[in-house]
């Protein structure tokens, strides 16, 4: 199972002056983000190494209305053996797994049983994806998922608090969710595609971390716009600023829209540039993805065999 060796983010008291002081140079952020894809060109062994690292940081996810126990068990089997064994042997990583499996609360017991402690189980809670169920029920959902064996909880913030500028309410609610998580690590989903501006993204990131989030995540994957490089750059810089003021390292998770191997390398390059090598580990970075693994597997097979296989040969669940 993924080790969380770093101290938990204890959070900070809410500071309205800190939030009010946030500034984001949007044109500069967009320019910087646009340079990232062109700055990294990895070939052969280097590309394979980065793609293997990306696999180790995937939250392999199924969040569909037609999820079944059988689908979740197949997903867990794929999580434990994400690439054909002969390919993993050829690149020298026979024991490679993904970072975690992410499911709805109803499927937590199935995933816990299937993984048998070998990987973390993450549950999406708090009225995912809208986060508009009664607040007491959102807290109870967290508690029930933890009791069922989830060791990571992906909560969704109340976007209305961001859009109305009620940062104190956002901090209070998120802190209560963090308390309900207990020993489980909390990943706060900001739903950045619904927050309007990069300035709001920066403020929401800081408030979520001040409330004790162990990791901040872009999206539920259900919004019209999910992870983007400008949003990722903004959130990574919020993480850097928070570490400077608190001493705590907080993780980052782009979710939704990252489906190609080349995109994964782009995000990892941005992560390395902005936050450094320590974030290139599963305890501080995750991809929220389902289809990404299949494309990475195809690239690794090409690296080893010189041939591309059909995409349908790399089903996830």
């Amino acid at each position: 199972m993924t080790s969380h060796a770093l101290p938990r983010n204890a959070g900070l008291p809410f500071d309205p002056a800190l939030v009010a002081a946030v500034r984001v140079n949007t044109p500069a952020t967009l320019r910087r983000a646009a340079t990232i894809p062109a700055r990294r060109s990895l070939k052969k062994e280097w590309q394979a190494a980065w793609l293997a690292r990306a696999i180790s940081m995937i939250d392999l996810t199924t969040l569909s209305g037609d999820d079944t126990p059988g689908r979740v068990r197949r997903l867990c089997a794929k999580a434990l053996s994400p690439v054909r064994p002969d390919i993993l042997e050829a690149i020298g990583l026979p024991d490679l797994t993904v970072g975690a499996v992410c499911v709805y609360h109803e499927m937590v017991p199935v995933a816990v049983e299937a993984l048998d402690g070998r990987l973390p189980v993450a549950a999406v809670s708090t009225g995912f994806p809208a986060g508009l169920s009664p607040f007491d029920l959102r807290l109870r959902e967290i508690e029930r998922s933890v009791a069922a064996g989830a060791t990571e909880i992906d909560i969704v913030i109340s976007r209305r608090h961001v859009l109305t500028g009620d940062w104190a309410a956002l901090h209070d609610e998120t802190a209560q969710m963090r308390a309900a998580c207990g020993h489980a690590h909390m990943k706060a989903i900001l739903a950045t595609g619904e927050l309007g501006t990069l300035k709001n993204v920066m403020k929401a990131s800081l408030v979520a971390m001040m409330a004790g989030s162990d990791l901040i995540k872009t999206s539920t994957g259900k919004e019209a716009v999910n992870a983007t490089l400008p949003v990722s750059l903004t959130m990574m810089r919020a993480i850097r600023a928070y570490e400077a003021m608190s001493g705590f390292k907080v993780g980052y998770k782009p979710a939704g829209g990252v489906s190609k191997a080349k995109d994964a390398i782009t995000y990892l390059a941005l992560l390395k540039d902005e936050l450094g090598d320590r974030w290139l580990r599963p305890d501080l970075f995750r991809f929220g993805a389902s289809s990404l693994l299949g494309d990475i597997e195809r690239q690794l097979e090409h690296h080893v065999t010189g041939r591309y296989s059909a995409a349908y040969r790399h089903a996830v669940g």
Side-chain angles (χ1 to χ4, degrees), residues 139-161:
L139 296 180
R140 284 173 57 194
E141 186 180 6
I142 292 171
E143 292 165 353
R144 290 181 65 179
S145 292
V146 174
T151 55
E152 301 177 2
I153 301 293
D154 289 34
I155 65 105
V156 288
I157 68 165
S158 297
R159 279 80 104 186
R160 66 187 182 279
H161 294 327

Side-chain angles (χ1 to χ4, degrees), residues 139-293:
L139 296 180
R140 284 173 57 194
E141 186 180 6
I142 292 171
E143 292 165 353
R144 290 181 65 179
S145 292
V146 174
T151 55
E152 301 177 2
I153 301 293
D154 289 34
I155 65 105
V156 288
I157 68 165
S158 297
R159 279 80 104 186
R160 66 187 182 279
H161 294 327
V162 176
L163 298 174
T164 60
D166 196 345
W167 303 107
L170 178 63
H171 183 276
D172 179 63
E173 279 193 3
T174 308
Q176 290 186 61
M177 292 176 187
R178 166 70 163 79
C181 287
H183 63 81
H185 279 233
M186 187 175 83
K187 292 135 83 179
I189 307 171
L190 306 185
T192 53
E194 297 178 348
L195 300 188
T197 66
L198 291 179
K199 186 175 180 180
N200 276 347
V201 170
M202 175 69 86
K203 289 184 176 184
S205 299
L206 286 173
V207 172
M209 291 185 284
M210 291 165 67
S213 299
D214 296 293
L215 180 149
I216 54 175
K217 174 179 170 182
T218 59
S219 324
T220 65
K222 309 293 187 181
E223 294 90 58
V225 178
N226 295 292
T228 67
L229 289 174
V231 159
S232 294
L233 178 58
T234 301
M235 293 175 70
M236 288 177 193
R237 288 184 172 172
I239 288 170
R240 197 167 68 198
Y242 182 77
E243 184 189 17
M245 71 178 71
S246 72
F248 292 109
K249 289 179 169 62
V250 173
Y252 177 63
K253 178 178 174 179
V258 186
S259 60
K260 299 297 182 183
K262 63 179 181 180
D263 296 331
I265 289 176
T266 298
Y267 275 89
L268 293 182
L270 178 62
L271 183 75
K272 179 178 173 65
D273 284 354
E274 291 294 324
L275 292 174
D277 290 349
R278 181 58 185 85
W279 267 263
L280 294 170
R281 301 185 196 178
D283 60 346
L284 285 177
F285 184 81
R286 300 287 178 81
F287 286 109
S290 53
S291 58
L292 174 62
L293 177 57

Side-chain angles (χ1 to χ4, degrees), residues 73-92:
R73 290 189 191 99
R74 289 193 298 274
L75 191 79
C76 291
K78 186 67 172 176
L80 293 168
S81 184
V83 179
R84 245 174 47 203
D86 60 308
I87 302 294
L88 293 182
E89 288 284 353
I91 64 174

Side-chain angles (χ1 to χ4, degrees), residues 104-117:
Y104 277 118
H105 167 77
E106 284 291 303
M107 294 297 164
V108 169
V110 178
V112 168
E113 180 182 19
L115 294 172
D116 192 28

